[in-house]
Amino acid sequence: MTAPPGLERILFTEEQVNQRIKEVAAEISAKYQGRDLKLIAVLKGAVFFLTALARAIEIPLKIDFLAISSFGSGAPGMVRIAKDLDHPIQDEDILLVEDIVDTGFTTRYLLQTLAGREPRSLGICTLLDRTARRIVQVPVDYRCFEIPDRFVVGCGLDFQQRYRNLGYIAVMDPEKC
Ligand code: IMP
Ligand code: MG
């Protein structure tokens, strides 16, 4: 795909992303062998990662999706469920699949919401982790890459809804768009 106008540099190539997803998928396959794994992703950003991860995991699994939207003044963590999961998660082994854990507010909200539904276990798997900007601590069980404190696009991450379909992860300067 054509590179976005504000692209500064490629952080991880498509090959690096795919290779790392395979490694994390192997860890998950080993850990959840014989269990009742369900991957849950938040629309829309995490969908790209979820499908790549699911293809690379070698044990049977289920998937489900939810959507959230911000409310109020857009203050961090002010989110609500806009589309709920299709099915209950009680007594299932749930892995919340995230595109990026940034401040941690969104992830904490999701964890609290899902925990209330009594899954057997609840873990977090994220494509990107930007710990430099963390405000609330969340337990990340699996992460593909730690990234610097720069805005990124690709592999599901967007700038104004575009560039999700880039196969690589790139740093971009939104002011140059
Ligand atoms: P948090 O609640 O601050 O952890 O925000 C997480 C959400 O912010 C992610 O699910 C993304 O939708 C969005 N986000 C955070 N950083 C970036 C980025 O660098 N590029 C694109 N979206 C981002
Ligand atoms: Mg977004």
Side-chain angles (χ1 to χ4, degrees):
M1 195 190 113
T2 323
L7 187 138
E8 279 186 8
R9 68 191 161 100
I10 293 177
L11 271 186
F12 305 106
T13 64
E14 190 164 353
E15 289 69 30
Q16 288 172 318
V17 170
N18 291 339
Q19 178 54 35
R20 185 67 190 124
I21 290 175
K22 270 193 201 154
E23 291 169 9
V24 170
E27 280 182 54
I28 293 170
S29 302
K31 171 84 191 278
Y32 289 90
Q33 182 81 50
R35 291 165 68 184
D36 197 11
L37 178 61
K38 179 182 279 182
L39 305 181
I40 290 181
V42 178
L43 302 172
K44 302 182 267 286
V47 169
F48 292 77
F49 177 42
L50 178 135
T51 54
L53 185 70
R55 287 291 303 269
I57 291 176
E58 292 179 333
I59 58 170
L61 55 79
K62 297 176 189 166
I63 61 173
D64 205 348
F65 299 95
L66 51 77
I68 53 177
S69 61
S70 307
F71 64 91
S73 57
M78 301 285 279
V79 291
R80 63 176 180 82
I81 292 183
K83 178 230 169 279
D84 207 340
L85 298 171
D86 287 336
H87 299 286
I89 58 172
Q90 192 169 25
D91 292 332
E92 293 181 326
D93 292 303
I94 302 300
L95 206 46
L96 176 63
V97 177
E98 292 269 30
D99 50 358
I100 182 168
V101 181
D102 189 29
T103 62
F105 280 112
T106 310
T107 308
R108 184 178 64 176
Y109 169 79
L110 292 167
L111 277 184
Q112 285 171 346
T113 303
L114 295 176
R117 301 178 187 191
E118 302 176 339
R120 185 180 302 133
S121 67
L122 180 56
I124 302 175
C125 176
T126 189
L127 177 63
L128 305 179
D129 195 355
R130 192 158 47 204
T131 51
R133 280 170 47 88
R134 195 77 92 248
I135 296 172
V136 296
Q137 296 309 314
V138 287
V140 173
D141 300 279
Y142 304 93
R143 72 163 169 209
C144 292
F145 303 105
E146 167 78 39
I147 61 162
D149 189 6
R150 299 295 311 278
F151 188 79
V152 296
V153 292
C155 296
L157 288 113
D158 70 300
F159 169 64
Q160 295 180 347
Q161 300 302 327
R162 294 206 177 84
Y163 313 123
R164 294 190 198 277
N165 58 326
L166 290 173
Y168 50 83
I169 308 277
V171 170
M172 85 178 273
D173 183 350
E175 295 193 351
K176 290 192 189 138
C177 284

